[in-house]
Amino acid sequence: MSNRENIMYQKKKKGENIKGPVSRRLTVLRSQLSPDSSSSAMASEKEAALAAAPSDAPTIFDKIIKKEIPANVVYEDDKVLAFRDIAPQAPTHILIIPKVRDGLTGLSKAEERHFEILGCLLYTAKLVAKQEGLEDGFRVVINDGPQGCQSVYHIHVHLLGGRQMNWPPG
């Protein structure tokens, strides 16, 4: 753990307000989840996930796909888009999303018709991991639902690497 990561971890552990990428992510999530309400600040990703709800409205990821919101894209093809997370939880933290949601808001909503895109997301994780030099290993995570800490209801894969992962997670 770098010195900066350690400081961020200690602040988070003490419940202190953390400025920077985490605050920016929560601000973006807040604006997506309740664009008319900026009065109550969410203190964590967990609160953002608990406040989120599946909807047919465009998600922040739909806006990234349409280039309405900038992202640091590391991979793109006709089916998927991969970009760096704005609040990384590891030295390498990349989100991989399908370009078409097709009702696939989370893994628990997957149907047989989603078989191909689910495989494509995982294969893309492997390609991006290689591209990012994660030959010593990496972790793939799919959060699902409020208790799984899903804050954006557009299925997405987290690719994490560049440090030793711990077990059990979260």
Side-chain angles (χ1 to χ4, degrees):
M1 182 181 292
S2 74
N3 189 37
R4 182 177 182 277
E5 289 172 317
N6 188 37
I7 291 168
M8 297 282 281
Y9 172 77
Q10 294 301 324
K11 284 184 175 183
K12 189 173 182 182
K13 193 170 154 184
K14 291 178 185 175
E16 294 178 23
N17 188 13
I18 301 171
K19 301 284 185 201
V22 173
S23 293
R24 282 195 307 270
R25 182 171 188 190
L26 289 175
T27 300
V28 169
L29 287 172
R30 253 187 253 118
S31 71
Q32 176 198 346
L33 299 173
S34 55
D36 300 320
S37 169
S38 60
S39 57
S40 65
M42 292 183 198
S44 70
E45 286 286 326
K46 181 180 174 183
E47 288 180 12
L50 292 172
S55 159
D56 289 334
T59 67
I60 190 170
F61 294 161
D62 292 313
K63 294 173 183 178
I64 289 171
I65 292 165
K66 292 178 183 176
K67 312 291 189 226
E68 295 171 2
I69 295 176
N72 186 346
V73 175
V74 297
Y75 179 90
E76 183 172 11
D77 65 22
D78 60 324
K79 295 181 182 174
V80 301
L81 182 69
F83 52 93
R84 296 196 187 283
D85 194 302
I86 62 168
Q89 301 301 304
T92 299
H93 186 169
I94 294 168
L95 300 175
I96 304 163
I97 63 173
K99 287 186 169 181
V100 176
R101 209 173 356 159
D102 187 29
L104 192 53
T105 56
L107 190 57
S108 62
K109 302 301 181 195
E111 298 176 7
E112 190 171 339
R113 73 177 194 257
H114 299 122
F115 181 83
E116 182 182 345
I117 193 62
L118 290 169
C120 199
L121 289 169
L122 291 177
Y123 186 71
T124 300
K126 177 256 185 196
L127 293 176
V128 173
K130 183 175 183 176
Q131 174 183 301
E132 293 290 315
L134 300 176
E135 53 275 327
D136 288 338
F138 55 90
R139 179 169 287 167
V140 172
V141 176
I142 298 175
N143 299 329
D144 190 88
Q147 288 193 352
C149 213
Q150 183 179 5
S151 57
V152 179
Y153 282 85
H154 182 136
I155 196 164
H156 53 286
V157 172
H158 295 260
L159 172 64
L160 301 148
R163 69 169 167 84
Q164 177 61 55
M165 300 292 159
N166 294 314
W167 196 261

